[in-house]
Amino acid sequence: MNIKYPMFSGSYTYEFGIRLFNSYAHEVLPAPNAPFNQMIIQGRGIKDLSAMEVININMLSIDVATIFLFIFVSMEIGREFQNRSIQIYASLIPNRKKYFMSKLVAYLFISVIIGLIVSLLSMGNGYLIIRIFNKPFPSIYQVMRFLFGCIFMPITYTVLAICASFFFRNTAGGIVSSLLIMFLPSFIKMFPGDIQDILISIIPASAIHRLSGIARGAEDIGIAVALLVLAMWCILGSIIAVRSFGKKDISN
């Protein structure tokens, strides 16, 4: 048990994580790219959708892949702290920063590969549906930009899960923190309109939507700003994780 962070251990974490995931599944997964997917909820069939809308819906699998990725990463890192194997690895790589970076690079590589595979498979499935219903295929630029943005989703949340797992030194901290960040758009809805616009513009989900070319309203922050937002989340998270990991005694 992590005494400093009791909310990230035991039955409390399990129950909270399940509730949060269920809320995310009901509110976010059906509409990660809201303007398009809400049409399905309103009863529109495939024949009534444009080709790009069909591709967008097929890319829901990237959300699922992202969740499985950060759960896997959090479990792997948390297991090292739990069974104390991290003490052995740390003795081989005494520099805590180098050890953290080695984990970050390894899992980042995995997230890029899985993100590419899932995105391409989903895109291919969408293409088959488009051909079956004889819909005109969207422009290559539109499709490639959408694919480019979607790949950033597993990359970003994997990095954040790694940072949280090292900071809290357990699996639960990585999983719950990642879910909370994914769930930020729903939390932000509780604030007044002007504050919503400010907060929406600085969260990872909005930056990913902008890179995918599907941003609307306050999410439309520009490609350069979107990349900067994602970079800042990942860099700040890494700095906090490294500083925390370097100061704590991993033998406890």
Side-chain angles (χ1 to χ4, degrees):
M1 175 181 291
N2 191 330
I3 299 176
K4 187 175 180 181
Y5 304 103
M7 71 289 291
F8 289 111
S9 59
S11 59
Y12 178 91
T13 298
Y14 177 80
E15 182 179 354
F16 178 75
I18 291 298
R19 290 179 178 178
L20 189 61
F21 179 80
N22 286 337
S23 298
Y24 178 83
H26 281 89
E27 296 191 27
V28 181
L29 279 181
N33 306 320
F36 294 128
N37 295 323
Q38 283 176 353
M39 298 176 184
I40 295 300
I41 299 174
Q42 295 172 1
R44 292 181 62 189
I46 294 180
K47 292 182 179 180
D48 301 322
L49 300 175
S50 69
M52 197 60 206
E53 290 170 349
V54 172
I55 291 176
N56 181 278
I57 293 165
N58 274 273
M59 293 301 287
L60 283 171
S61 56
I62 201 69
D63 295 74
V64 179
T66 297
I67 293 174
F68 277 108
L69 260 174
F70 70 63
I71 290 176
F72 165 75
V73 168
S74 300
M75 289 179 64
E76 288 298 307
I77 296 174
R79 187 178 294 114
E80 291 185 8
F81 282 102
Q82 185 178 7
N83 60 24
R84 306 298 173 85
S85 61
I86 195 170
Q87 296 177 26
I88 300 174
Y89 301 143
S91 65
L92 298 175
I93 309 177
N95 188 315
R96 298 278 183 91
K97 182 178 179 181
K98 287 184 178 179
Y99 180 77
F100 173 83
M101 291 304 298
S102 67
K103 288 289 183 182
L104 185 67
V105 171
Y107 288 124
L108 192 60
F109 177 77
I110 294 174
S111 69
V112 171
I113 297 300
I114 293 179
L116 278 170
I117 293 173
V118 174
S119 297
L120 291 173
L121 287 175
S122 301
M123 191 76 70
N125 186 60
Y127 177 74
L128 288 176
I129 295 175
I130 290 171
R131 290 296 301 269
I132 290 172
F133 287 89
N134 294 318
K135 295 178 179 293
F137 198 74
S139 68
I140 296 299
Y141 169 79
Q142 193 177 13
V143 172
M144 294 306 296
R145 181 176 175 183
F146 184 62
L147 180 63
F148 171 76
C150 287
I151 293 173
F152 275 92
M153 188 175 188
I155 293 173
T156 301
Y157 289 106
T158 296
V159 171
L160 295 177
I162 294 170
C163 296
S165 298
F166 270 97
F167 180 80
F168 292 110
R169 297 198 294 179
N170 58 39
T171 296
I175 295 175
V176 174
S177 298
S178 300
L179 281 173
L180 284 171
I181 295 172
M182 293 186 85
F183 204 64
L184 280 177
S186 294
F187 288 128
I188 291 175
K189 292 179 183 178
M190 297 185 295
F191 293 93
D194 292 340
I195 298 179
Q196 280 188 36
D197 290 344
I198 296 174
L199 296 177
I200 282 290
S201 65
I202 59 174
I203 62 175
S206 298
I208 293 170
H209 288 176
R210 182 65 185 93
L211 293 174
S212 302
I214 57 172
R216 297 293 184 273
E219 291 184 335
D220 196 0
I221 55 179
I223 295 178
V225 177
L227 289 171
L228 180 62
V229 168
L230 294 181
M232 291 304 297
W233 274 86
C234 294
I235 292 172
L236 289 176
S238 298
I239 291 173
I240 293 172
V242 169
R243 289 177 62 87
S244 175
F245 181 51
K247 291 179 179 180
K248 292 179 180 178
D249 183 3
I250 59 177
S251 63
N252 294 329

